[in-house]
Amino acid sequence: MRIPFIAGNWKMHKTVREAVETATALKTVVAAVEIVDIVLCPPFTALGDVGRAIAGSNLELGAQDMHWEPQGAYTGEISGPMLWELGCTYVILGHSERRHHFHETDDEVARKVQAAFAQELLPILCVGETLEERDAGRTEDVIERQVRAAVAELDAVALPRLVVAYEPVWAIGTGRSATGGEANRVSALIRQWLGQAVGGPSADETRVLYGGSVTPENIAEFIGQPEIDGALVGGASLNSEAFAAIVLAAAGGP
Ligand code: PEP
């Protein structure tokens, strides 16, 4: 059984104080939720304090990116061991904002995925097509390329621990989400490509999330799909009440 998974990506939002306040408020509201993996991904600056604020709760900590080298002369970068030291369990990799604003390549994302596993951090690998690619009928080609490149060096043991987020770029932060049916179709393809690339049935255990303008109002459309195991949430995760409503919906109530 794949356990539902809801992650909040706070991007470059919130001071340390604001991050701790939001995490603390959320912690209380979702304290009784048992069957959802709930992950907060604050900015690097707030990881330590948010980690302390949620220690002992059912919330887990994730980072928004990392470098593939464990250390070195990479000014401004953060490594896997540094995230691990702060208590991170997960790390978002290949987010479209990293791919587009910072020109991250498939090869770099693949190196980060391997480095994360080497550090016992679990990647939340983001894939998705732009509007231009979608309009050109290239959605499947683009996502297949991104998926296969990212897992090229992984073995079947890693796949159940990998989380993939299907995030159409045109749906991120736009208020325009994919339909549940379309996201479900692409999620099934992602699992198929994972299985083909790595071999064996272990992709059946990989959690595939939908991301792109998820809200308390539309989460049911996605979580109700057989191939979708949860959501990566940006804007709506900044507000503890909205994010809690998404988590509670994923848990099957209220
Ligand atoms: C994201 O940044 O991963 C995301 C899905 O953002 P939003 O929910 O705001 O569309």
Side-chain angles (χ1 to χ4, degrees), residues 9 11 95 167 171-173 211-214 232-235:
N9 174 13
K11 310 191 186 192
H95 192 280
E167 299 208 304
I172 295 179
S213 297
V214 169
L232 178 55
V233 185

Short mmCIF file of all heavy atoms in Angstrom, two decimals, residues 9 11 95 167 171-173 211-214 232-235, ligand 1:
data_model
loop_
_atom_site.label_atom_id
_atom_site.label_comp_id
_atom_site.label_asym_id
_atom_site.label_seq_id
_atom_site.Cartn_x
_atom_site.Cartn_y
_atom_site.Cartn_z
N ASN A 9 5.78 23.19 -0.11
CA ASN A 9 6.99 23.86 -0.59
C ASN A 9 6.82 25.35 -0.35
O ASN A 9 6.04 26.01 -1.04
CB ASN A 9 7.16 23.56 -2.08
CG ASN A 9 8.31 24.34 -2.70
OD1 ASN A 9 9.13 24.92 -1.98
ND2 ASN A 9 8.36 24.36 -4.02
N LYS A 11 9.01 27.64 -0.74
CA LYS A 11 9.83 28.44 -1.66
C LYS A 11 10.59 29.53 -0.89
O LYS A 11 11.05 29.28 0.22
CB LYS A 11 8.94 29.03 -2.76
CG LYS A 11 8.05 27.99 -3.41
CD LYS A 11 7.38 28.48 -4.65
CE LYS A 11 6.39 27.43 -5.14
NZ LYS A 11 5.89 27.68 -6.48
N HIS A 95 12.83 20.92 -9.17
CA HIS A 95 11.62 21.75 -9.26
C HIS A 95 11.72 22.62 -10.52
O HIS A 95 12.80 23.07 -10.90
CB HIS A 95 11.50 22.63 -8.02
CG HIS A 95 10.16 23.28 -7.91
ND1 HIS A 95 9.84 24.41 -8.62
CD2 HIS A 95 9.05 22.96 -7.20
CE1 HIS A 95 8.59 24.75 -8.35
NE2 HIS A 95 8.09 23.89 -7.48
N GLU A 167 4.30 17.94 -11.93
CA GLU A 167 3.92 19.33 -11.79
C GLU A 167 3.96 20.02 -13.16
O GLU A 167 5.03 20.48 -13.59
CB GLU A 167 4.90 20.05 -10.85
CG GLU A 167 4.94 19.49 -9.46
CD GLU A 167 5.32 20.55 -8.45
OE1 GLU A 167 6.38 21.17 -8.60
OE2 GLU A 167 4.54 20.78 -7.53
N ALA A 171 0.73 25.02 -14.48
CA ALA A 171 -0.23 24.96 -13.36
C ALA A 171 0.37 25.48 -12.06
O ALA A 171 -0.35 25.67 -11.08
CB ALA A 171 -0.69 23.52 -13.16
N ILE A 172 1.68 25.73 -12.05
CA ILE A 172 2.33 26.13 -10.80
C ILE A 172 2.12 27.61 -10.53
O ILE A 172 2.53 28.46 -11.34
CB ILE A 172 3.84 25.79 -10.84
CG1 ILE A 172 4.03 24.27 -10.92
CG2 ILE A 172 4.55 26.36 -9.61
CD1 ILE A 172 5.47 23.83 -10.97
N GLY A 173 1.44 27.89 -9.43
CA GLY A 173 1.23 29.27 -9.01
C GLY A 173 0.33 30.07 -9.91
O GLY A 173 0.28 31.30 -9.82
N GLY A 211 1.21 18.22 -8.44
CA GLY A 211 1.46 19.56 -7.95
C GLY A 211 1.10 20.58 -9.00
O GLY A 211 1.36 20.39 -10.19
N GLY A 212 0.51 21.69 -8.55
CA GLY A 212 0.13 22.77 -9.47
C GLY A 212 -1.21 23.32 -9.05
O GLY A 212 -2.26 22.76 -9.40
N SER A 213 -1.17 24.42 -8.24
CA SER A 213 -2.39 25.11 -7.82
C SER A 213 -3.35 24.20 -7.06
O SER A 213 -4.57 24.29 -7.22
CB SER A 213 -3.07 25.78 -9.02
OG SER A 213 -2.23 26.77 -9.58
N VAL A 214 -2.78 23.33 -6.22
CA VAL A 214 -3.63 22.51 -5.35
C VAL A 214 -4.14 23.38 -4.20
O VAL A 214 -3.39 24.18 -3.62
CB VAL A 214 -2.85 21.30 -4.79
CG1 VAL A 214 -3.64 20.59 -3.69
CG2 VAL A 214 -2.53 20.32 -5.92
N LEU A 232 2.14 17.92 -3.97
CA LEU A 232 3.17 18.89 -3.60
C LEU A 232 2.49 20.26 -3.73
O LEU A 232 2.01 20.62 -4.80
CB LEU A 232 4.38 18.78 -4.52
CG LEU A 232 5.53 19.76 -4.28
CD1 LEU A 232 6.03 19.71 -2.84
CD2 LEU A 232 6.69 19.47 -5.23
N VAL A 233 2.44 20.97 -2.62
CA VAL A 233 1.62 22.18 -2.53
C VAL A 233 2.51 23.39 -2.32
O VAL A 233 3.33 23.41 -1.39
CB VAL A 233 0.62 22.06 -1.35
CG1 VAL A 233 -0.33 23.24 -1.32
CG2 VAL A 233 -0.13 20.74 -1.41
N GLY A 234 2.36 24.40 -3.15
CA GLY A 234 3.13 25.63 -2.99
C GLY A 234 2.32 26.66 -2.22
O GLY A 234 2.26 26.65 -0.99
N GLY A 235 1.65 27.54 -2.94
CA GLY A 235 0.95 28.68 -2.34
C GLY A 235 0.07 28.31 -1.16
O GLY A 235 0.11 28.98 -0.11
C1 PEP B 1 5.05 24.12 -6.37
O1 PEP B 1 5.74 25.12 -6.26
O2 PEP B 1 5.57 23.00 -6.34
C2 PEP B 1 3.62 24.30 -6.54
C3 PEP B 1 2.90 23.26 -6.87
O3 PEP B 1 3.12 25.56 -6.35
P1 PEP B 1 1.56 25.99 -6.30
O4 PEP B 1 0.85 25.00 -5.42
O5 PEP B 1 1.55 27.36 -5.74
O6 PEP B 1 1.05 25.92 -7.70
#
